[in-house]
Amino acid sequence: MTRLQAHDAILQAPAHDPLPHSETPPARSPKGPYQVEQKLALGLGAPSPRRRFSLAAWKPRRARLLFAALGIGLALGAVEETVRLGKHSPEVQRTARFLGFGIDQVTLKGHHFSFDRDIFDALDLANVRTFAALDTAAVKARIERLPWVDTAELTRVYPGRLDIRVTERKPYALWTRADRHYLIDKTGRVLAAVSGAQLPDLPRVSGEGAAADAAGLMESLARYPEIAARMGEAERVSERRWRLKLTNATTIELPADGEVGALEEIARDTALLRLVASGKTTLDFRGPGRVAIRPEAPPAAGPAPNTGS
């Protein structure tokens, strides 16, 4: 073969000589690359050998992204601090709003009984128009002072949105005071005044100091279903003790100390339980070591009508 013929043969040869399908691949170590290819074929999640990343090229790329995010965060922090320091300057306020630090939208979630206007008044949006001027802790405290609000969460969503999620309190009892009715929660907090024409089906308490002590009494009564099932109203007397008024006109005068002991005595004594169930009886446990039982006096009869002679 001449030199020219050899050169032509080289130019006409394929760039690579693929392995025929019928041939067996060369033997490789079970711990080598061929084991990786076997795992890939079995679907074991090994990375495809055709998608390889250069570790040397990937690390600088990740570092650049990390530093870029850090730089943006520092820049936003610097801008917000500048706005905070100059929050009363109209120029600074305009710049803050242009950069996305203005409060342009407020979303309220979770409230059913609280009024929107009360929450917005707590935000004081007339004077607070940027995130830098927003005192989150103070606003949260003001919102949580609203009657129905238990907790409030404030979340800044850049640019320009403030999300407020409210968790409200649950009515626990109905408190009557000076002929007015109020819904209270388990802590005794007054939630709202309600009309006497249509009162909710809740435990009823009355008297000064009854709201704060209602939960303790109701938890004690829950252990005595014979009495709890007939409960009409629990009256707080002199802010010291309870008078239980049952629906069958039975009255139980509990002592200032040892009210649970009096309830236990009723639950153990079948005769006292029969009196409680019969109605129109007063059981007075205020005397030490004894119980006074008095039947309820019938209403006094009015004067006989004058029929004339």
Side-chain angles (χ1 to χ4, degrees):
M1 178 184 297
T2 64
R3 181 178 300 179
L4 181 58
Q5 290 174 335
H7 182 267
D8 291 339
I10 293 173
L11 291 178
Q12 294 174 4
H16 61 279
D17 186 13
L19 183 68
H21 293 289
S22 59
E23 294 186 15
T24 305
R28 302 183 186 182
S29 171
K31 296 184 180 180
Y34 184 60
Q35 187 180 20
V36 175
E37 294 176 7
Q38 285 180 320
K39 289 183 179 180
L40 180 63
L42 293 174
L44 299 181
S48 172
R50 295 184 180 181
R51 297 181 59 189
R52 296 179 180 177
F53 296 93
S54 172
L55 188 61
W58 181 68
K59 282 187 175 180
R61 183 186 308 170
R62 183 176 61 175
R64 285 196 298 271
L65 292 175
L66 179 61
F67 283 118
L70 182 60
I72 293 173
L74 291 175
L76 289 174
V79 171
E80 184 170 2
E81 181 65 14
T82 302
V83 174
R84 187 186 67 80
L85 294 175
K87 60 184 178 182
H88 299 297
S89 169
E91 293 79 7
V92 173
Q93 294 295 308
R94 283 195 294 270
T95 302
R97 295 176 65 83
F98 176 77
L99 294 175
F101 287 90
I103 302 177
D104 301 318
Q105 180 183 2
V106 178
T107 63
L108 304 180
K109 298 179 182 178
H111 65 300
H112 302 284
F113 300 101
S114 302
F115 293 107
D116 291 359
R117 65 173 180 269
D118 293 336
I119 299 177
F120 282 121
D121 288 345
L123 283 173
D124 192 21
L125 290 177
N127 299 311
V128 178
R129 302 306 303 271
T130 65
F131 286 128
L134 177 69
D135 188 339
T136 305
V139 170
K140 174 180 168 67
R142 287 198 296 269
I143 294 176
E144 291 178 352
R145 281 198 294 269
L146 296 176
W148 281 96
V149 177
D150 187 14
T151 60
E153 297 179 6
L154 282 70
T155 305
R156 304 178 182 186
V157 183
Y158 293 101
R161 196 178 89 203
L162 179 65
D163 289 350
I164 301 176
R165 178 175 291 276
V166 168
T167 302
E168 291 188 323
R169 298 171 181 267
K170 296 180 180 179
Y172 180 76
L174 185 70
W175 177 37
T176 301
R177 178 190 183 197
D179 297 328
R180 298 194 65 182
H181 308 286
Y182 304 91
L183 288 177
I184 60 173
D185 73 346
K186 196 170 184 178
T187 67
R189 182 170 182 168
V190 174
L191 304 179
V194 292
S195 170
Q198 191 173 8
L199 298 177
D201 186 16
L202 291 171
R204 301 188 180 189
V205 296
S206 62
E208 292 294 333
D213 298 327
L217 173 67
M218 297 305 167
E219 290 173 1
S220 297
L221 284 174
R223 299 195 291 269
Y224 308 99
E226 299 86 355
I227 301 173
R230 297 180 172 88
M231 268 297 302
E233 179 180 287
E235 179 185 358
R236 193 69 170 162
V237 181
S238 302
E239 300 187 47
R240 297 179 58 251
R241 65 179 190 87
W242 289 102
R243 174 182 293 135
L244 307 183
K245 300 177 181 179
L246 307 190
T247 55
N248 61 358
T250 293
T251 301
I252 303 175
E253 300 280 0
L254 295 177
D257 298 317
E259 58 190 28
V260 174
L263 295 173
E264 282 284 353
E265 186 174 348
I266 296 175
R268 292 194 305 264
D269 193 320
T270 56
L272 292 178
L273 281 176
R274 283 197 298 269
L275 288 173
V276 168
S278 65
K280 298 182 180 180
T281 306
T282 296
L283 282 72
D284 192 342
F285 289 86
R286 288 176 293 176
R290 63 185 181 86
V291 54
I293 300 173
R294 300 186 301 271
E296 288 291 328
N306 185 10
T307 58
S309 56

